[in-house]
Amino acid sequence: MARMTLQDVARTAGVSLATVDRVLNGRPGVNADTAARVRAVMQSLNYRPDRAAMRLARGTGHRFCFVLPKGNNAFMLALHREVLDAGRRFAADRVDVDVLEVDVFDGEVLADALHLLAGRVDGVATVALDHPSVRHAIDELTLSGVSVVTLVSDVPNASRTHYVGIDNVAAGRTAGSLLGRFVGGRKGKVGLIAGSLALRDHIERQMGFEQVLGRDFPELDVLPVREGRDEDEQVERLVAGLLSAHDDLVGVYNAGAGTGGLIAALEASGRGGEVVVIAHELTPASRRHLLRGTIDAVINQNPGHEVRSAIRVLLAAREGMPIITGQEQIRIDVFIRENVPALADGAAQGG
Amino acid sequence: MARMTLQDVARTAGVSLATVDRVLNGRPGVNADTAARVRAVMQSLNYRPDRAAMRLARGTGHRFCFVLPKGNNAFMLALHREVLDAGRRFAADRVDVDVLEVDVFDGEVLADALHLLAGRVDGVATVALDHPSVRHAIDELTLSGVSVVTLVSDVPNASRTHYVGIDNVAAGRTAGSLLGRFVGGRKGKVGLIAGSLALRDHIERQMGFEQVLGRDFPELDVLPVREGRDEDEQVERLVAGLLSAHDDLVGVYNAGAGTGGLIAALEASGRGGEVVVIAHELTPASRRHLLRGTIDAVINQNPGHEVRSAIRVLLAAREGMPIITGQEQIRIDVFIRENVPALADGAAQGG
DNA sequence: GTGAAAGCGCTAACAC
DNA sequence: GTGTTAGCGCTTTCAC
């Protein structure tokens, strides 16, 4: 049983190749009866389109652009690396991938950057601030025919095709539950650090975290959230403050970046052993401290998976193909010392 | 800057298409100097092969076969479903995927099945027993030009192209560490159930588990491993036995399937609240009990990811392409109540 | 409404 | 050693 081609369908349906193609791609200009007949033949011959032939004939490539935050946050750098890497791989499939670095914390700047992309690319993946101008820019991009996906942090009311990232409320809840259980029944205070309360992701993590601690661990007292601005120095200062103000501090959850500062403050205080630490994102630093025992658990989202997923989703949108829901669902990874993945040998890490 | 084609390379190098093709694919019959010149031109023109054109011209499809265990183990059924689903998707890329169900616990039967596949398919992915006949069958398949990957459970000394699955020792260690921490300092006995000690995966999990408990949780006593044969009834009987023999049972780790039986025994005893339960694989049943609190954590490997990874690895082997190491690394998922993924709407789940 | 025909970028015979 | 050429299965003008 060889593969059926459009030729086979055309021949058995008694029409020309062009007609079958029109039917296949839902283009107008075909008599309803003819179309029905052709469809029937496709069914009975079990015809499956050949993607390689389709791409070759269409000849059209895709230009995608990733809009990422400027700065040297380890996770964002990893995302950037993954984009470059994925770009290299997808080149063989005629997709060109670019990166644009902007200050995503400034809604107007981000919105301007997005506007500029209209007409220059076919798809955009952006780590976006949930801000009126940004929402508007996304809607306009979509209207102008560009496919848009949000990455890592969502903009729920914008007309994006898809959100590629984890459920951050659930991530916060996961952190809360692990912290509560790891504290092991002791009573005391728990510190909560976010990067910035401008991006949705950190707010959502905070919500989830407080929700679980309030519900399941009444013996723990969550201190008011502090903004660490994703910077080591700032986080270090905050944690040092918490440690000196509360000698019953039994846990700290860093919902943002800057975990290096958290560790530094803890080590300086000599109280590392008694404080349970939950952080986000597997970076060289967090990995090291996880193995060493300074960090108890890392909640992670896989940057490689996110980038490839964004590209696949954009491609599917462009080629009118369905996506594999399961494959595009980004999981909330929980890493403890025992299951940290081995360092991948190249730049790429994750699945 | 438009895409460069082989034509462009040929023209600027002053040779014919065929010569450039020979260089590109490392085929013999080209003067070393000519080859060098062609390669230089490719570089300078930044030539990137077009995969669609290549596939179309080669015209050759791929036939892959998944050899899976017979039976109604929920995880294996999920794997099976994922293979069918992936087969549907990959059809557009000219790959045909079949499933062969055999009794993998019988080395001779499995070896015979593998032998039969020689010449009939281009690639095989198998959940394999580590047994001399199986090892030999894999080696022969490889010699006959079939690409082979092991799936879920490895056969380390066979000439397989790749192992697609998790590090089971690490999975066992992860289970041990979580169980130990969740028990929260109480003293007592811990039950350990494996499915069968014939497949490597369960033995490896046992090793990892015992290693961590022995090292990090000396207050816990691991009882001798029992074989639950991956069946609910058998596991239920074993756990009921453990419960009645040890009233200081504080935890149970089921390294195999049959978790339904574990739960049943626990519920019948009325001691569910005091026993920490760690199980493997996210199934409808384990998911339900995780949410309900009967199971404390599930260690999971993503069947959808494993199947797609196996196909990608086999495809890469056939087409002489490199694989993305990070993407093909199967992670050890840790799921607690707070981060269980939402049920995917189709058959497919996982990324 | 429908069909004929010229490619898309590469591969593989076969000829020189 | 190297070049010519006829496709692979589809899309897309353009003609009828």
Side-chain angles (χ1 to χ4, degrees):
Chain A
M1 43 163 275
R3 260 190 100 76
M4 289 300 154
T5 72
L6 266 200
Q7 275 289 8
D8 300 322
V9 177
R11 200 171 330 106
T12 44
V15 295
S16 82
L17 211 49
T19 300
V20 183
D21 180 67
R22 288 185 186 104
V23 174
L24 179 64
N25 292 294
R27 277 186 276 270
V30 182
N31 183 305
D33 293 358
T34 319
R37 187 153 41 88
V38 169
R39 259 187 286 269
V41 173
M42 282 183 178
Q43 283 261 302
S44 71
L45 290 189
N46 188 29
Y47 169 75
R48 299 262 163 264
D50 182 318
R51 207 213 249 102
M54 184 206 92
R55 286 208 176 139
L56 184 57
R58 290 221 238 259
T60 135
H62 307 281
R63 295 190 56 76
F64 298 150
C65 183
F66 279 72
V67 180
L68 304 181
K70 257 198 177 92
N72 46 12
N73 171 330
F75 174 72
M76 293 303 168
L77 291 177
L79 257 188
H80 198 141
R81 243 195 339 264
E82 293 292 351
V83 175
L84 266 31
D85 189 60
R88 237 165 283 134
R89 318 269 176 178
F90 276 94
D93 293 317
R94 278 182 134 101
V95 348
D96 282 336
V97 181
D98 271 357
V99 180
L100 190 62
E101 286 192 313
V102 304
D103 178 3
V104 299
F105 289 98
D106 185 328
E108 302 303 337
V109 170
L110 174 56
D112 286 350
L114 292 177
H115 275 123
L116 271 178
L117 290 173
R120 310 189 59 78
V121 300
D122 310 305
V124 171
T126 175
V127 175
L129 193 67
D130 190 6
H131 175 285
S133 302
V134 173
R135 212 148 42 220
H136 183 238
I138 292 179
D139 290 343
E140 292 225 306
L141 264 182
T142 305
L143 277 176
S144 79
V146 177
S147 306
V148 181
V149 302
T150 47
L151 191 67
V152 175
S153 191
D154 197 14
V155 185
N157 293 312
S159 56
R160 79 272 186 287
T161 302
H162 196 87
Y163 161 59
V164 178
I166 59 174
D167 174 343
N168 283 295
V169 179
R173 281 204 307 265
T174 306
S177 178
L178 288 173
L179 190 143
R181 301 196 71 159
F182 285 178
V183 162
R186 284 180 290 154
K187 228 176 124 54
K189 304 273 190 312
V190 172
L192 168 53
I193 319 267
S196 144
L197 300 176
L199 259 64
R200 284 184 77 88
D201 52 355
H202 292 191
I203 305 183
E204 293 179 347
R205 288 175 193 171
Q206 176 196 347
M207 275 180 46
F209 184 77
E210 289 175 338
Q211 179 189 328
V212 162
L213 281 171
R215 187 191 67 199
D216 296 347
F217 304 96
E219 72 277 17
L220 297 179
D221 227 21
V222 183
L223 298 166
V225 62
R226 314 298 300 272
E227 290 193 53
R229 283 192 258 129
D230 289 338
E231 286 159 12
D232 283 6
E233 301 72 34
Q234 175 70 359
V235 173
E236 179 168 2
R237 221 167 306 135
L238 292 176
V239 175
L242 293 176
L243 282 162
S244 69
H246 308 279
D247 34 62
D248 61 342
L249 191 79
V250 293
V252 180
Y253 170 40
N254 182 13
T259 297
L262 162 52
I263 301 296
L266 219 52
E267 288 184 338
S269 76
R271 283 159 62 191
E274 62 199 60
V275 179
V276 172
V277 176
I278 312 275
H280 271 268
E281 318 311 354
L282 198 62
T283 62
S286 70
R287 198 171 182 288
R288 198 167 52 243
H289 288 109
L290 200 52
L291 292 171
R292 197 185 288 173
T294 338
I295 298 182
D296 294 86
V298 165
I299 313 289
N300 183 67
Q301 54 189 319
N302 193 302
H305 189 189
E306 292 182 322
V307 167
R308 289 185 294 270
S309 179
I311 295 177
R312 282 192 302 255
V313 169
L314 288 173
L315 251 177
R318 295 271 110 192
E319 298 189 340
M321 305 288 288
I323 62 173
I324 311 181
T325 345
Q327 185 172 18
E328 311 313 351
Q329 190 173 335
I330 312 295
R331 282 161 292 173
I332 300 172
D333 297 332
V334 170
F335 292 128
I336 60 175
R337 187 206 286 165
E338 317 299 343
N339 71 329
V340 260
L343 239 29
D345 37 8
Q349 74 168 307
Chain B
M1 46 163 276
R3 262 189 97 77
M4 289 299 153
T5 72
L6 266 200
Q7 276 289 9
D8 299 323
V9 177
R11 199 168 335 104
T12 43
V15 294
S16 82
L17 250 187
T19 301
V20 183
D21 180 65
R22 286 184 189 108
V23 174
L24 180 62
N25 293 294
R27 277 187 276 271
V30 182
N31 182 304
D33 294 357
T34 319
R37 188 154 39 90
V38 169
R39 259 188 286 270
V41 173
M42 283 183 177
Q43 283 261 303
S44 71
L45 290 189
N46 189 29
Y47 169 75
R48 300 261 162 265
D50 182 319
R51 212 219 248 94
M54 183 206 91
R55 285 209 177 139
L56 184 57
R58 292 221 235 256
T60 136
H62 307 280
R63 296 189 55 76
F64 297 150
C65 182
F66 278 73
V67 181
L68 305 180
K70 256 198 179 94
N72 47 12
N73 171 329
F75 173 73
M76 293 302 169
L77 291 177
L79 256 187
H80 197 142
R81 243 194 341 266
E82 293 291 352
V83 174
L84 266 31
D85 189 59
R88 237 166 281 132
R89 317 269 175 177
F90 276 94
D93 293 318
R94 280 184 133 101
V95 347
D96 282 337
V97 180
D98 271 357
V99 180
L100 190 63
E101 286 192 314
V102 305
D103 179 2
V104 300
F105 289 98
D106 186 328
E108 302 303 336
V109 170
L110 175 54
D112 286 351
L114 292 176
H115 274 122
L116 272 178
L117 290 173
R120 309 189 60 77
V121 301
D122 309 306
V124 171
T126 176
V127 176
L129 193 68
D130 189 7
H131 175 285
S133 302
V134 174
R135 211 150 40 219
H136 183 237
I138 292 180
D139 290 342
E140 292 223 307
L141 265 182
T142 305
L143 277 176
S144 79
V146 177
S147 306
V148 181
V149 302
T150 47
L151 191 65
V152 176
S153 192
D154 196 15
V155 186
N157 293 312
S159 57
R160 79 272 187 288
T161 301
H162 196 87
Y163 161 59
V164 178
I166 59 174
D167 174 343
N168 283 296
V169 179
R173 281 203 307 262
T174 305
S177 177
L178 288 173
L179 190 143
R181 301 198 71 158
F182 285 177
V183 162
R186 284 181 290 154
K187 230 176 121 56
K189 302 272 191 311
V190 172
L192 167 54
I193 319 266
S196 145
L197 300 177
L199 260 62
R200 284 185 76 87
D201 51 355
H202 293 191
I203 305 181
E204 293 179 346
R205 289 175 192 171
Q206 176 197 346
M207 274 180 45
F209 184 78
E210 290 176 337
Q211 178 189 327
V212 161
L213 263 77
R215 188 191 64 198
D216 297 346
F217 304 97
E219 72 277 17
L220 298 178
D221 228 21
V222 183
L223 298 166
V225 62
R226 314 296 301 269
E227 288 193 54
R229 284 192 257 126
D230 289 336
E231 285 159 12
D232 282 7
E233 303 71 35
Q234 174 70 1
V235 172
E236 179 167 2
R237 220 167 308 135
L238 291 177
V239 175
L242 292 177
L243 282 162
S244 70
H246 308 279
D247 32 63
D248 61 342
L249 192 78
V250 292
V252 180
Y253 170 41
N254 182 13
T259 298
L262 162 52
I263 301 297
L266 220 51
E267 287 183 338
S269 76
R271 284 161 59 192
E274 61 199 61
V275 179
V276 172
V277 176
I278 312 275
H280 270 268
E281 316 313 351
L282 197 62
T283 63
S286 70
R287 199 172 181 289
R288 198 165 54 244
H289 288 107
L290 200 51
L291 292 171
R292 195 185 288 171
T294 338
I295 298 182
D296 294 86
V298 165
I299 312 290
N300 183 67
Q301 54 189 318
N302 193 300
H305 189 188
E306 291 182 323
V307 167
R308 289 186 293 269
S309 179
I311 295 178
R312 282 192 300 256
V313 169
L314 287 174
L315 251 176
R318 294 271 112 192
E319 297 188 341
M321 305 288 288
I323 62 173
I324 311 182
T325 346
Q327 185 171 18
E328 311 313 351
Q329 188 173 337
I330 312 296
R331 280 161 294 173
I332 300 171
D333 296 332
V334 170
F335 292 128
I336 61 175
R337 185 208 284 163
E338 316 299 343
N339 72 328
V340 259
L343 239 29
D345 38 9
Q349 74 167 310

